[in-house]
């Protein structure tokens, strides 16, 4: 290609990047100019189409510039790096939409309890060490104190920071392993898929385990760097110190993650020991051993959990669950799956449909990682397999080590925490999948003696499809038969007023544990609130006053109504039931602000 053509090509790429950055800036401004005015059932449908158009344009530019090669290698490297920055900014805007659009808070259930604990730490009613995993709460208070941002908004920033950590350190990890910018680019867009987030026990909202798993990408980057430490230069390295500090931060974020990592590093240590004993001249034998790191993780976990009774309680719980599952014909994860399948069938959906919506990108990357592991066993004498880097063996070992934990969680009755193990597994799958894609694309070009111009546009198209399928299911919405956990100003203020004016000895009734969690969020309870009740099994239109001996408050919000009637298709509560509340005898509305209604139910012992 002529010099003039190369200059034109480089100019075109730069102009495209300018268009991409302008598009993402316009998208953020459009989102900011159209804040939420009330509860939003779906962040996707209630966000302006101009926002999504800007995100799509910016992401398309990032993919095209990152993977479609130009005539000049030096220019390509520079513009490709800018394309990765552009893609990262797209992810920041996407993940930060609840912040940009002015949400009061985003997250129900555990997220509301975490907000309350952060509030309690800020007010001094509890200290961080009273909590089992005070990581996200202390960071929230730090942001609140340093920047003056409200606690509810500061906690949303903690969630956003964890996404940023994951999207930065996954490509850095792969780039360190391969020493290839192209591999790092593939890993960056793989990270943008956010495979650990499944909306089942792993969320893009305040949830300690979710943030800990995303944060672990930094730990694995330091792990890869630690393997390359020159052990002859110093007994203690800077990377080793950073690795220890990050491990300590991980246990503060969530000790359960550290318990899983212990299994991972024990597996890696075993692999290293076997390699050193039988293949002393191999690549693994020449790397820094992880024995001391594994012992450090074990000691760290035991010291942190000693005062919380977590270790003994966890072992007892899982031991009893496994015994029940195998010897008493108990039911574990399959019962949950069957129940969800029945509910989906009632809504006109099915398990296959929801599986593909939630897990198709995870399935594709899992097949790539599984294919790599299978190839290493079946074709172990192949020159291609023998050239696979040692770190690949470690990450495959990590997946194998986590399988027993996944099965134990699956056997535990009434639990979906096996998706937490799956979330951690997806971190390794993201890295392995990136390495496989890089290896296959490079091998394809080399075998056919072709330039990258043939295979890389296919990568761009493939990632465009996977990113669309993945990101459309990151936030809960009716698309996945769920409702947004958006907490509006009216909803939070309504609960605040209700708790402040609550009569003595009169409890609350609310749907799906709502009053308990909002009680945590507003009052900063040291222990989770379990005093408030749910509606009777007969439903909301069952003459509520006759179902209770004493007086009760009944809370109904706009979020409750839209969740039950639209997202859940009146599976449990119908529109008619909601409408019947106002006309029932001995049920009086005492508070309303448009999105929050509080009713006084005069029970059987108070018929006046």
């Amino acid at each position: 290609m002529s010099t003039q053509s190369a200059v034109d090509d480089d100019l075109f790429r730069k102009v495209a990047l300018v268009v991409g950055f302008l598009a993402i800036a316009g998208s953020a401004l459009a989102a900011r100019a159209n804040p939420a005015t009330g509860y939003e059932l779906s962040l996707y449908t209630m966000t302006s189409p101009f926002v999504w158009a800007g995100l799509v344009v910016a992401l398309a530019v990032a993919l095209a510039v990152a993977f479609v090669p130009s005539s000049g290698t030096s220019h390509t490297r520079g513009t490709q790096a800018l394309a990765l920055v552009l893609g990262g900014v797209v992810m920041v805007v996407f993940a930060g939409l609840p912040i940009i659009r002015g949400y009061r808070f985003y997250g129900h259930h555990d997220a509301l309890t975490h907000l309350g604990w952060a509030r309690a730490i800020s007010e001094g009613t509890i200290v961080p060490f009273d909590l089992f995993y005070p990581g996200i709460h202390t960071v929230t208070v730090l942001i609140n104190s340093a920047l003056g941002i409200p606690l509810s908004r500061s906690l949303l920033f903690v969630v956003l920071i964890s996404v940023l950590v994951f999207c930065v350190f996954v490509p850095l990890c792969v780039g360190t392993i391969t020493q290839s910018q192209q591999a790092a680019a593939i890993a960056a867009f793989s990270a943008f898929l956010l495979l650990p987030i499944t909306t089942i026990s792993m969320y893009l909202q305040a949830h300690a385990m979710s943030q800990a798993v995303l944060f672990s990408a930094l730990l694995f980057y330091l792990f890869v760097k630690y393997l390359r430490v020159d052990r002859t230069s110093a007994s203690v390295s800077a990377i080793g110190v950073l690795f220890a500090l990050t491990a300590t931060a991980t246990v503060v974020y969530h000790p359960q993650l550290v318990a899983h990592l212990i299994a991972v590093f024990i597996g890696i240590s075993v692999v290293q020991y076997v390699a050193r004993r039988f293949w002393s001249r191999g690549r693994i034998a020449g790397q820094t051993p992880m024995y001391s790191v594994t012992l450090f993780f074990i000691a760290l976990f035991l010291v942190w959990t000693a005062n919380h009774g977590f270790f003994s309680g966890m072992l007892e719980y899982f031991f009893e669950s496994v015994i029940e599952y195998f010897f008493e014909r108990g039911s574990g994860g399959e019962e949950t799956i069957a129940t969800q399948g029945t509910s989906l069938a009632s809504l006109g959906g099915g398990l296959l449909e929801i599986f593909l919506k939630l897990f198709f990108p995870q399935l594709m990357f899992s097949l790539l990682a599984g294919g790599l592991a299978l190839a290493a066993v079946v074709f172990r004498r192949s020159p291609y397999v023998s050239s696979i880097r040692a770190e690949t063996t470690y990450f495959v070992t990590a997946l194998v080590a986590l399988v027993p934990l996944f099965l134990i969680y699956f056997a535990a009755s009434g639990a979906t925490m096996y998706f937490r193990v799956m979330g951690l597994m997806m971190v390794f799958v993201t890295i392995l999948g990136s390495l496989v894609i890089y290896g296959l694309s490079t091998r394809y070009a080399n075998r056919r003696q072709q330039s990258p111009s043939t295979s890389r546009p296919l990568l761009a198209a493939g990632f465009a499809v996977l990113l669309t399928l993945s990101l459309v299911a990151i936030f809960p919405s009716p698309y996945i038969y769920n409702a947004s956990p958006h907490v509006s100003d009216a909803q939070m203020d309504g609960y605040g007023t209700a708790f402040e004016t609550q009569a003595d000895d009169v409890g609350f009734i609310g749907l799906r544990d709502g009053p308990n969690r909002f009680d945590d969020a507003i009052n900063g309870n040291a222990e989770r609130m379990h005093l408030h009740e749910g509606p009777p099994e007969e439903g909301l239109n069952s003459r509520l006053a006759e179902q209770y001996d004493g007086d009760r408050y009944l809370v109904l919000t706009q979020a409750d109504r839209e969740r039950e009637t639209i997202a859940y298709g009146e599976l449990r509560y119908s529109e008619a039931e909601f409408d019947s509340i106002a006309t029932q005898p001995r049920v009086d509305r005492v508070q309303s602000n448009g999105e929050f209604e509080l009713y006084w139910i005069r029970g059987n012992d108070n018929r006046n």
Side-chain angles (χ1 to χ4, degrees), residues 237-392:
S237 66
I239 293 296
V241 172
L242 286 174
F243 192 53
L245 291 175
T246 305
T248 304
T250 303
V251 77
V252 173
Y253 260 73
H254 210 303
Q256 187 181 28
L257 175 63
V258 176
H260 300 163
L261 292 177
I262 288 173
V264 168
F265 283 109
I266 287 176
I268 293 174
S269 297
V270 170
V271 168
Q272 287 186 323
Y273 176 79
V274 172
R276 287 170 173 272
R277 185 173 180 84
F278 298 101
W279 297 282
S280 58
R281 296 184 179 181
R283 293 188 303 275
I284 293 179
Q287 291 185 320
T288 304
M290 301 302 295
Y291 312 143
S292 59
V293 169
T294 302
L295 292 176
F296 178 76
F297 265 104
I298 294 174
L300 193 64
F301 176 77
L302 293 177
V303 169
W304 182 262
T305 59
N307 294 327
H308 293 276
F310 173 82
F311 185 68
S312 58
M314 181 182 66
L315 288 180
E316 181 180 357
Y317 170 71
F318 287 121
F319 181 76
E320 291 178 352
S321 296
V322 171
I323 293 296
E324 179 185 356
Y325 183 82
F326 286 104
F327 297 102
E328 299 180 16
R329 297 183 179 180
S331 55
E334 71 272 18
E335 180 185 29
T336 303
I337 294 172
T339 302
Q340 294 297 327
T342 302
S343 299
L344 286 169
S346 301
L347 297 176
L351 283 175
L352 179 60
E353 175 196 353
I354 198 66
F355 175 83
L356 293 176
K357 285 181 176 180
L358 290 178
F359 303 116
F360 183 78
Q362 286 88 341
L363 175 62
M364 293 297 99
F365 267 69
S366 297
L367 290 175
L368 289 174
L372 176 64
L374 182 63
V377 174
V378 178
F379 305 105
R380 58 184 180 275
R381 298 186 182 275
S382 166
Y384 174 68
V385 172
S386 63
S387 67
I388 292 176
R389 294 165 178 84
E391 290 80 3
T392 305

Side-chain angles (χ1 to χ4, degrees), residues 40-103:
E40 296 183 346
L41 181 66
S42 170
L43 182 143
Y44 297 101
T45 59
M46 297 303 293
T47 299
S48 169
F50 294 105
V51 176
W52 300 119
L55 291 174
V56 168
V57 169
L59 191 57
V61 169
L63 284 167
V65 175
F67 291 119
V68 178
S70 69
S71 53
T73 303
S74 60
H75 296 299
T76 300
R77 291 180 63 86
T79 54
Q80 186 181 57
L82 286 174
L84 299 185
V85 173
L86 176 59
V89 175
V90 170
M91 289 304 301
V92 169
V93 173
F94 172 79
L97 278 175
I99 300 174
I100 298 172
R101 297 203 55 239
Y103 280 17

Side-chain angles (χ1 to χ4, degrees), residues 47 53 136 154 175 179 186 233 329 342 356 403 409 425 428 461 483 498 566:
T47 299
I136 64 174
S154 298
Q179 297 297 304
I186 292 172
S233 59
R329 297 183 179 180
T342 302
L356 293 176
V403 168
Y409 277 115
M425 295 172 79
F428 300 117
I566 300 175

Side-chain angles (χ1 to χ4, degrees), residues 2 38 49 97 108 112 118 170 200 230 266 273 321 330 346 351 363 391 424 435 474 493 543 547 555 561 572 583:
S2 66
L97 278 175
H108 285 167
L112 289 167
V170 165
I200 306 176
D230 184 3
I266 287 176
Y273 176 79
S321 296
S346 301
L351 283 175
L363 175 62
E391 290 80 3
L424 178 58
L435 292 171
I474 289 294
D493 293 342
R543 300 181 68 88
Q547 305 298 321
V555 174
R561 183 182 290 265
R572 186 178 297 180
T583 60

